């Protein structure tokens, strides 16, 4: 089975990005940063999600992100599936903070349960087949609409969604050009059907 042990974001200013992610979300080794000036305009084809246990935690993380310099794209609201909203980090990455719970069960805390990287792909079925052939195991699958892979003990989950649907969910236009500005650290290097890059992780290199 392939695995993900971290995500690498390519940013213009690594020190500023590190301050933001530490202050806003308290992220550690799950997120890595490296300098890049690769051109990128519009939607980069992915979102990153922090899944939390209750609405109060979503609000706390969104408030912290805005205080640290993020811009609100979609204010947190209730929906049929739960509660959440999206923000754009100063480096341009789109983050969704969400929970399936609709009621609070305790005091607000800036805590999250998992990070989910959602890739906006041209063909969900084809990308699903590609990833299975590269060692990932399907956890949930809803036809040509959505696929989520098993994450095991990994701190990062991976899921696939149609690009236009993902952009709509995030609250942005699906148009975009240039670099994705992101890489996945896993067991082996490869590039998927939509140009998303995987790199050998530190754990894989040491094994």
């Amino acid at each position: 089975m392939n695995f993900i042990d971290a995500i690498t974001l390519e940013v213009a200013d690594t020190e500023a990005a590190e301050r933001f992610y530490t202050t806003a979300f308290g992220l550690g080794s799950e997120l890595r940063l490296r300098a890049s000036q690769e051109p990128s305009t519009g939607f980069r084809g992915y979102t990153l999600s922090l899944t939390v246990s209750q609405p109060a935690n979503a609000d706390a993380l969104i408030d912290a992100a805005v205080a640290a310099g993020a811009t609100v794209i979609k204010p947190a609201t209730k929906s049929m599936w739960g509660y959440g909203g999206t923000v754009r980090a100063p480096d341009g990455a789109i983050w969704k903070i969400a929970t399936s719970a609709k009621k609070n069960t305790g005091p607000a805390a800036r805590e999250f349960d998992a990070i989910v990287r959602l890739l906006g792909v041209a063909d969900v079925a084809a990308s699903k087949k590609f990833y299975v052939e590269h060692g990932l195991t399907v956890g949930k699958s809803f036809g040509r609409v959505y696929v989520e892979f098993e994450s095991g003990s990994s701190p990062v989950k991976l899921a696939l969604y149609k690009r236009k649907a993902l952009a709509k969910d995030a609250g942005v236009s699906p148009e975009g050009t240039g670099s994705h500005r992101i890489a996945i650290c896993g067991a082996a290097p490869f590039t998927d059907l939509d140009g998303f890059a995987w790199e050998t992780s530190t754990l894989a290199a040491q094994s």
Side-chain angles (χ1 to χ4, degrees), residues 38-150:
E38 287 292 318
S40 181
T41 63
F43 184 46
R44 295 177 182 174
Y46 73 89
T47 63
L48 294 165
S49 294
L50 298 179
T51 59
V52 300
S53 61
Q54 60 177 359
N57 291 10
D59 288 334
L61 286 166
I62 291 172
D63 290 347
V66 171
T71 303
V72 174
I73 300 175
K74 290 177 69 173
T77 57
K78 289 182 179 180
S79 67
M80 290 182 63
W81 51 262
Y83 181 87
T86 56
V87 299
R88 191 189 306 275
D91 63 88
I94 295 174
W95 290 80
K96 181 175 183 177
I97 297 88
T99 177
S100 59
K102 297 183 180 181
K103 294 183 179 180
N104 294 317
T105 56
R110 285 200 300 128
E111 300 174 347
F112 62 89
D113 299 323
I115 303 173
V116 181
R117 179 179 170 177
L118 257 168
L119 304 185
V121 301
D123 187 326
V124 172
S127 291
K128 172 186 174 182
K129 181 175 182 290
F130 175 89
Y131 275 109
V132 168
E133 290 173 348
H134 281 74
L136 274 74
T137 302
V138 174
K140 299 178 183 178
S141 181
F142 300 94
R144 294 179 174 270
V145 178
Y146 176 85
V147 175
E148 183 178 303
F149 297 98
E150 295 285 358

Side-chain angles (χ1 to χ4, degrees), residues 2-3 5-6 8 10 32 34 182-190 197-202 204:
N2 212 324
F3 63 88
D5 71 347
T8 298
E10 298 179 341
R32 300 170 187 172
R34 69 177 171 223
I182 195 169
I184 304 174
C185 300
F190 60 84
W198 283 61
E199 301 173 345
T200 303
S201 72
T202 304

